């Protein structure tokens, strides 16, 4: 049972907990995602209490004007359009759930328009810089050095998310078929083909893990020098440290390697639907942003190469 304790707003615990448990048990959302929904709903109901003296309004009493007032206050408090859109999405999902259960006849979100978010191109590492990283950068001849190199290799070769990498199990690597099965958002499985070279690196790592470390975690693939599953901080620090050696881009996170994977595929002619499947995106819209990087690259080539550019 998810507990939602707001003090003066405790009376809303039941309707919010029902929704959060639906996300957890039926939609199978991650704990991180559920926490984000919980925080958004907590802020909204607190606002209703503070601004409209509504300690326990019925769902049908929540009018679109109340929602607009809350959104306006978020904008006044300098929340970004991206943050506001996320909160709108949380409320839409919340009221949609109660429409389906029959406890609500009309959603107050029906007339709410989300603010436009300026499109930002994904930050990625140039292909030549990734080649420099794997061909010329020396990694320490230590267990953590081996782990750091494999982390970078897997992220770049598969485009998987950091959370997917950390939870990756040895049994998810299919040596015979040269692929890795990934458990993504909503517990959706996808299979990512990889090179024989990466499979050999993984095999060597697993062999050395059993020989080098004392009682290592043999369920999860990646472990630190204590034999324990790598942490979020370990992965982030490894990526930041080695990308800093080969590139001057501002962001140097595991997600940048996901962008790099997708951008290099599209730049080299990969079908967008195939990239969508490899990334585990639920819709093509999320993948299409990588075509903008390709177009920008083509523009740059045109300017440099065409005599009339």
């Amino acid at each position: 049972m998810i507990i939602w304790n707001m003090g003066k707003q405790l009376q809303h615990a039941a309707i919010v907990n029902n929704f959060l448990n639906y996300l957890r048990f039926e939609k199978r959302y991650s704990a991180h995602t559920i926490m984000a929904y919980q925080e958004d709903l907590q802020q909204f109901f607190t606002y209703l209490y503070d601004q409209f003296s509504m300690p326990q309004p019925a769902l049908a009493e929540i009018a679109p004007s109340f929602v607009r007032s809350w959104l306006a206050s978020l904008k006044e408090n300098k929340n970004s359009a991206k943050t506001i859109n996320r909160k709108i999405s949380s409320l839409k999902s919340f009221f949609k759930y109660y429409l389906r259960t029959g406890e609500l006849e009309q959603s107050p979100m029906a007339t709410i328009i989300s603010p436009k978010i300026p499109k930002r191109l994904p930050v990625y590492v140039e292909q030549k810089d990734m080649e420099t990283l794997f061909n010329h950068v020396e990694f320490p001849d230590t267990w953590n050095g081996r782990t750091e190199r494999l982390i970078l290799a897997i992220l770049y070769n598969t485009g998987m998310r950091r959370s997917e990498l950390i939870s990756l199990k040895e049994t998810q690597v299919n040596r015979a078929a040269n692929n890795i099965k990934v458990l993504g958002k909503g517990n959706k499985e996808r299979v990512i083909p990889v090179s024989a070279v990466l499979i050999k690196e993984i095999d060597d790592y697993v062999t050395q893990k059993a020989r080098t470390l004392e009682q290592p975690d043999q369920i999860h693939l990646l472990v630190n020098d204590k034999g324990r599953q790598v942490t979020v901080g370990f992965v982030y620090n490894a990526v930041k440290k080695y990308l800093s050696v080969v590139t001057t881009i501002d962001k140097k996170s595991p997600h940048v390697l996901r962008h790099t994977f997708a951008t290099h595929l599209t730049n080299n002619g990969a079908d967008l639907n195939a990239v969508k499947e490899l990334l585990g995106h639920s819709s093509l819209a999320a993948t299409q942003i990588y075509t903008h990087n390709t177009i920008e690259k083509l523009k740059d080539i045109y300017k440099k190469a065409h005599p009339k550019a």
Side-chain angles (χ1 to χ4, degrees), residues 144 147-148 151 155 161-168 205 217 220-239 254:
N144 281 348
T147 302
E148 288 169 342
I151 283 171
L155 287 174
R161 300 175 179 92
R162 180 179 60 188
S163 59
E164 296 167 346
L165 176 81
I166 291 170
S167 62
L168 186 65
Y205 181 86
D217 180 342
H220 296 98
L221 174 63
L222 296 160
V223 299
N224 59 24
D225 56 6
K226 306 296 184 194
R228 300 189 189 112
Q229 179 185 13
V230 293
T231 62
V232 169
F234 186 101
V235 173
Y236 177 81
N237 290 334
V239 172

Side-chain angles (χ1 to χ4, degrees), residues 9 11 82 134 137 147 151 183 198 204 214 238 245 293 300:
Q9 286 293 114
Q11 47 270 68
K82 184 177 180 180
F134 291 113
V137 173
T147 302
I151 283 171
L183 193 63
L198 181 60
D204 290 344
E214 186 177 342
V245 176
N293 275 330
D300 187 50

Side-chain angles (χ1 to χ4, degrees), residues 256-279:
V256 166
L257 287 178
R258 182 168 161 85
H259 291 324
T260 301
F261 166 82
T263 302
H264 291 180
L265 283 174
T266 53
N267 282 352
N268 287 292
D271 177 73
L272 202 59
N273 275 302
V275 177
K276 167 185 170 290
E277 295 301 318
L278 291 170
L279 291 173

Side-chain angles (χ1 to χ4, degrees), residues 74-75 77-87 115-118:
L74 293 174
K75 189 170 183 180
N77 290 326
K78 309 299 182 185
N79 283 272
S80 68
K82 184 177 180 180
T83 297
I84 293 172
N85 274 349
R86 194 201 77 197
K87 294 181 186 297
K116 288 186 177 180
I117 301 176

